Amino acid sequence: MECCRNLEQIDIDPNKNKIVLVGNPNVGKSIFFNYLTDTYVSVSNYPGTTLDISSGNYKDNIVLDTPGVYGVSSFNDEEKVARDIILSADIVINVVDAVHLERDLFLTQQLIDMGKKVIVALNMMDEAKKRGLNIDIEKLEKELGIKVVPTVAPKKKGFSDLENHIDKAQKGQISLEQDMEKELNNINKSVGNRADSLLILEGDENVAALHNMEPKENREKVYMQRRNRVNDIVEEIITKEETNNSIGDKIGSLLLRPLTGIPILFLILYLLYQFIGVFVAQTLVGITEEMIMIEIYQPFIIDLVSRFIAPQSLIGKILIGEFGVLTMTVTYIFGLLLPLVAGFYFFLSLLEDSGYMPRIAALVDRGLTYLGLNGRAIIPMLLGFGCVTMATVTTRLLGSKREKIIAIFLLGLAIPCSAQLGVIAGLIAPLGFKYFVIYVITIFLVYAIAGTFLNKVLPGESTDLLIDLPPVRVPEIKNIFKKTYLKSKYFIVEAGPIFAGGAVGITLLKEGGILEWIQNVVAPFIVGWLKLPKETTEAFIMGIIRRDFGAAGLNSLALTNDQTLVALIVITLFVPCIAAMLVMIKEQGIKQAAMVWLGSWIAAFTVGGIVALFI
Amino acid sequence: MECTTDGKRICPTCNNEIKDPDLMKCPRCNSLLILKCSECKKCSFFKKN
C-alpha cells in the first residue's frame, strides 16, 4: 500500500530512491527538476503549466516532478496525481516561494505532518529581499525541524548547497495538537502508514477507500491547527523593511492602471499584429512558402515522385496533385503555418514569462464580467490565439462550470488560432485599413453579443477575480526559444496527420465527383447568400477539418476584396477543428460540444451573409 | 437551473471547501474568500446558513 496508485503509468525502477519535487503552483519547481535531471520542462509565470508527471535520473535516484498544489488532497485530478507521487516519495524537496511564505508553508507543514523526510528549497530569495522581507533561516529551520536552503532558481543560486543536503532530508516538527494526533495514531494502528493515516483523518475519500475505511471529518479542524501553526512561524521569522519600489514594481503598477495599462495593451496588440501579420505573414512566409516550398521544394518532389508513380493516377493525385499530401499539405504546414505558429508562440512566451499575462487578466476583468466571465478568462482567450485546442484545456482554470461553458463557446466561435490568424492577417493586410477595421469590428461584435447572450440565458453570474501577480521580470531568452520550439513541434505532430488525412479526403471527394456535387448543391447558398464563387466551398470543407486549413485554402482563390472579407469572416467564425472538438467533448460532454459546433455554423454563415449584404 | 452547491463555500484558488462562515481567508492557501458561492446569483452562503 506504500506506493503506486498512478505511478504504474511511469516507467520507474522500483529499486531506486524516489526524490519528489513538491510545491505550490508557479514556484519554479521545473527549474530544479531541469537542474537535477538535465531535462527540460516548460516554465511559465502563470499557475498550472506543469500538468504532466516528469521523471529523470539523479545519481542513483529517480527525481519526479509534480503538478503545483496548495496541499496534499484529492480536490482535482492534478492533486490526486501529486498526492500519489508524494505518498510514494522517499525524500521530498519542497520548493517554497519566499515571498509567499504564509501560503506555501501550509504544504510544507502538511508534508512534515505526513511523516515524510523533507528538505526545503526556499526559492525567490532575491524577490523577497527586493520587497524588504528579512527571513530568519536558522529560526525557520528550528521551527520546522528540517533543513532549509535559500535559493534563486533562475541563477541556480543555492543549488549546489541543496544538492549537498538532499541526503540529509529529515522528518520535522508536527503541527497537530494532542486531540488530532491521538486520532491519527488510532487510524494508524489499522493503516500502518502515517502519511495515509493523516489523509484519512483529513477526509481523503480515495486514500480511505484504499484501506477499506470511511474518511474522517476532521479536515477543517486539522487545517486550522496547521494554519495557526504556520501563521505563528511566519510571525516569528519574518521582519519587513521599508523599500523603494523596484523598476519591475513600477512597470507592474503601470500595466495594472487602466489609464496607462489599456494604451500599453493596445500597443502590445499592435506590435503583435506588426510582428505576426506583417513581418511573419508577409516577409517570412514570402520566403518560406513562395521561394522555398513552391519554387524549390514542389518541383523537386513532383519530379521525384513522377519517376515512380504516374501523376494522373489516383495515388499520384493523392501524393502530388492539387491537394497532394506531399505538395499542398507539406507546403501549408512547413511553408505557411509553421512560421506563423512559431512566431505567435514566441510572442506569447515573452508575455507569459515577463509576468504580463496575469496583469492583462486584472486589467480586462471588468469588461469580461459583461460576458459572464472574469479576468482570469483572458488566459485561455489569449492562448486560444495560439491554439484553441490547448486553450480549451486551460478553461479548467476558471472558477465555475458556467464560466467554462461561456469560455469554451467563445473560443470555439470567435477566436482564430495562430495558424489561422496568420493566414487571415496575410490576406487582409493588402486589402487596406477599411477592410481590416470591418473584419475586427465584426468579429468583436459577434464575440461580445454571443458572450452577453450566454451571460443572460445561463443562470448565475461571474465569479470574483483572485489571481496571483508574479513579479514583472525580463524573460530568459533561452527559455523563450525552447518553449517556442516545443509548442511548434506539438503543432506539427498534432496538425500534420489531420492535415494529411484531410488532404486525402478532399482529393478522394474531388476524384469521386462528390466535391463538385457538394459545390453545386450549396452553390445557391454560397453564391447567392455569401456572394462568393462556388469554389470557396472547397476551402470551407477543408475548414471543417481545421479552420487554418480552410483559411489557407482561400489563399489560392481569386477573390475580390469584398469576397475576401466575407470569406475570412465566415472561416473565422467557422466550426472548431477536429482536435478542438475532441477536447470540448472531453471537457464538456458531447451535447455541449455539438451545440458549439452547430452554433458556429449558424453564426458563421448568418454573419457572413449579413456582411455581404452591406459592403 | 436549480442551485446544486448546497450553500457550500469553495475557495476559488485551491478548491478547499470552507464550512466556517466566519473565515475570511482559506486556511489551506491563505487566499481571501469571496462571500457568495460561484454558481448561483441568489444563494449566499451566509443566507443559507
Side-chain angles (χ1 to χ4, degrees):
Chain A
M1 203 54 67
E2 176 64 23
C3 132
C4 303
R5 277 88 171 185
N6 283 340
L7 292 185
E8 62 270 17
Q9 293 168 17
I10 323 166
D11 186 20
I12 295 175
D13 184 345
N15 299 318
K16 287 191 173 179
N17 261 348
K18 283 185 279 298
I19 300 173
V20 174
L21 280 158
V22 182
N24 281 215
N26 208 30
V27 292
K29 285 187 308 300
S30 305
I31 303 177
F32 288 84
F33 180 78
N34 297 340
Y35 177 82
L36 293 171
T37 63
D38 203 23
T39 308
Y40 180 78
V41 173
S42 180
V43 185
S44 294
N45 259 334
Y46 62 89
T49 50
T50 311
L51 293 173
D52 300 321
I53 306 163
S54 306
S55 63
N57 289 317
Y58 169 69
K59 296 182 180 169
D60 292 331
N61 309 289
I62 296 280
V63 182
L64 290 150
D65 197 7
T66 56
V69 290
Y70 295 96
V72 187
S73 47
S74 315
F75 296 162
N76 54 42
D77 288 345
E78 283 76 26
E79 287 196 0
K80 286 175 189 167
V81 172
R83 178 201 62 199
D84 291 346
I85 299 172
I86 292 165
L87 286 172
S88 77
D90 296 300
I91 288 173
V92 174
I93 300 176
N94 178 209
V95 183
V96 168
D97 176 355
V99 179
H100 295 108
L101 272 181
E102 270 191 5
R103 182 194 69 187
D104 288 23
L105 284 184
F106 182 92
L107 174 61
T108 311
Q109 189 61 63
Q110 191 180 22
L111 293 165
I112 292 170
D113 290 344
M114 289 168 82
K116 289 287 169 191
K117 286 183 181 174
V118 183
I119 179 167
V120 166
L122 190 58
N123 198 26
M124 305 195 192
M125 284 300 286
D126 53 342
E127 294 291 341
K129 201 174 173 188
K130 274 185 205 164
R131 293 177 189 214
L133 298 173
N134 288 324
I135 301 168
D136 188 334
I137 307 280
E138 275 182 31
K139 207 181 255 184
L140 179 59
E141 284 182 334
K142 200 176 157 198
E143 293 287 346
L144 294 174
I146 54 174
K147 179 71 187 169
V148 176
V149 181
T151 58
V152 180
K155 294 176 182 163
K156 312 282 185 293
K157 224 172 164 178
F159 276 35
S160 57
D161 194 19
L162 180 72
E163 271 193 280
N164 293 336
H165 286 91
I166 289 176
D167 292 342
K168 292 166 192 139
Q170 61 191 52
K171 296 179 181 182
Q173 302 274 5
I174 304 298
S175 70
L176 301 185
E177 291 172 16
Q178 270 187 351
D179 56 339
M180 286 296 104
E181 186 64 25
K182 195 175 165 191
E183 184 86 13
L184 174 69
N185 288 332
N186 284 337
I187 299 169
N188 205 14
K189 279 176 193 164
S190 47
V191 172
N193 176 320
R194 185 179 168 93
D196 283 26
S197 302
L198 179 74
L199 295 185
I200 295 169
L201 181 71
E202 291 178 0
D204 192 309
E205 292 172 0
N206 301 123
V207 179
L210 279 171
H211 294 278
N212 297 317
M213 292 180 79
E214 285 296 315
K216 307 291 177 188
E217 292 187 0
N218 291 304
R219 178 183 296 150
E220 198 144 276
K221 198 168 184 183
V222 175
Y223 278 15
M224 280 314 297
Q225 289 183 3
R226 192 172 293 139
R227 169 52 54 198
N228 291 336
R229 167 84 179 135
V230 167
N231 289 351
D232 288 346
I233 294 175
V234 171
E235 203 169 316
E236 279 287 309
I237 62 157
I238 292 186
T239 48
K240 193 165 181 351
E241 282 172 16
E242 285 302 314
T243 52
N244 292 326
N245 285 345
S246 69
I247 294 175
D249 287 341
K250 283 175 188 162
I251 295 172
S253 165
L254 287 175
L255 296 174
L256 275 176
R257 283 185 206 148
L259 202 64
T260 45
I262 290 170
I264 293 171
L265 178 61
F266 279 110
L267 178 69
I268 300 275
L269 292 176
Y270 176 74
L271 289 175
L272 176 66
Y273 171 76
Q274 282 295 321
F275 181 64
I276 302 289
V278 179
F279 171 68
V280 180
Q282 293 175 32
T283 312
L284 195 60
V285 167
I287 297 168
T288 53
E289 190 186 20
E290 296 290 330
M291 287 170 64
I292 298 175
M293 300 310 289
I294 294 176
E295 289 177 19
I296 301 172
Y297 167 75
Q298 284 200 12
F300 164 76
I301 198 72
I302 289 170
D303 179 54
L304 185 70
V305 174
S306 301
R307 292 181 196 176
F308 307 101
I309 297 164
Q312 292 309 313
S313 66
L314 183 61
I315 299 285
K317 283 178 179 167
I318 286 174
L319 292 177
I320 53 170
E322 186 186 352
F323 304 105
V325 173
L326 296 176
T327 46
M328 182 195 74
T329 307
V330 174
T331 302
Y332 276 3
I333 290 181
F334 291 100
L336 177 64
L337 300 177
L338 182 61
L340 295 166
V341 170
F344 184 83
Y345 280 128
F346 180 81
F347 204 91
L348 193 68
S349 301
L350 279 175
L351 297 187
E352 277 178 10
D353 283 17
S354 61
Y356 187 44
M357 292 276 268
R359 286 176 172 79
I360 302 179
L363 198 65
V364 299
D365 181 49
R366 185 183 282 187
L368 285 175
T369 57
Y370 294 112
L371 310 180
L373 299 166
N374 71 30
R376 197 182 280 264
I378 200 70
I379 293 174
M381 291 302 160
L382 280 178
L383 287 177
F385 286 108
C387 171
V388 171
T389 311
M390 203 185 295
T392 305
V393 177
T394 61
T395 55
R396 290 177 193 170
L397 289 168
L398 303 180
S400 69
K401 193 178 171 193
R402 180 179 187 272
E403 287 174 9
K404 283 176 203 161
I405 293 172
I406 296 174
I408 287 177
F409 187 83
L410 294 178
L411 275 170
L413 179 68
I415 303 288
C417 67
S418 57
Q420 195 190 4
L421 198 65
V423 180
I424 290 167
L427 281 170
I428 213 158
L431 304 187
F433 190 64
K434 184 185 105 181
Y435 286 93
F436 174 73
V437 170
I438 296 172
Y439 172 82
V440 171
I441 289 176
T442 307
I443 301 301
F444 178 77
L445 279 178
V446 171
Y447 182 84
I449 291 168
T452 311
F453 173 74
L454 289 172
N455 189 28
K456 292 279 177 211
V457 296
L458 292 175
E461 61 182 17
S462 61
T463 55
D464 294 339
L465 174 71
L466 294 165
I467 195 165
D468 283 336
L469 289 178
V472 172
R473 55 171 77 117
V474 179
E476 269 193 64
I477 202 71
K478 192 179 160 196
N479 194 32
I480 300 292
F481 277 114
K482 279 191 172 174
K483 282 175 90 163
T484 306
Y485 165 74
L486 285 173
K487 287 178 177 172
S488 303
K489 191 174 135 190
Y490 172 79
F491 166 77
I492 300 283
V493 171
E494 190 239 332
I498 299 175
F499 264 46
V504 173
I506 294 278
T507 305
L508 292 176
L509 285 178
K510 187 163 190 182
E511 292 307 306
I514 301 168
L515 191 61
E516 203 180 342
W517 178 80
I518 296 172
Q519 280 179 351
N520 289 332
V521 168
V522 298
F525 186 73
I526 298 287
V527 178
W529 172 242
L530 296 177
K531 299 185 172 48
L532 295 172
K534 69 175 187 179
E535 290 75 26
T536 325
T537 313
E538 286 172 14
F540 292 146
I541 292 172
M542 278 152 47
I544 296 173
I545 299 157
R546 280 184 65 101
R547 284 193 294 193
D548 45 341
F549 199 22
L554 296 174
N555 236 351
S556 52
L557 295 173
L559 301 173
T560 64
N561 288 0
D562 289 355
Q563 287 174 331
T564 304
L565 177 69
V566 172
L568 288 178
I569 287 170
V570 174
I571 208 78
T572 305
L573 302 174
F574 209 51
V575 291
C577 69
I578 288 172
M581 283 306 298
L582 290 174
V583 172
M584 278 183 206
I585 291 169
K586 188 167 166 264
E587 294 291 315
Q588 294 290 330
I590 194 150
K591 198 174 149 193
Q592 275 173 27
M595 280 171 69
V596 172
W597 201 75
L598 282 173
S600 303
W601 274 102
I602 295 166
F605 286 99
T606 307
V607 175
I610 292 169
V611 173
L613 277 179
F614 287 98
I615 55 170
Chain B
M1 190 188 285
E2 289 293 312
C3 175
T4 56
T5 59
D6 300 325
K8 287 177 185 170
R9 206 156 53 131
I10 308 289
C11 169
T13 305
C14 77
N15 291 331
N16 182 30
E17 185 190 332
I18 316 290
K19 287 178 183 158
D20 182 348
D22 294 327
L23 278 181
M24 296 308 290
K25 274 188 165 187
C26 172
R28 189 172 183 246
C29 69
N30 212 38
S31 292
L32 281 169
L33 295 168
I34 51 175
L35 298 183
K36 65 193 171 202
C37 66
S38 61
E39 299 287 340
C40 174
K41 201 185 288 187
K42 291 167 192 160
C43 86
S44 150
F45 176 80
F46 294 107
K47 276 182 198 164
K48 277 228 163 182
N49 287 275

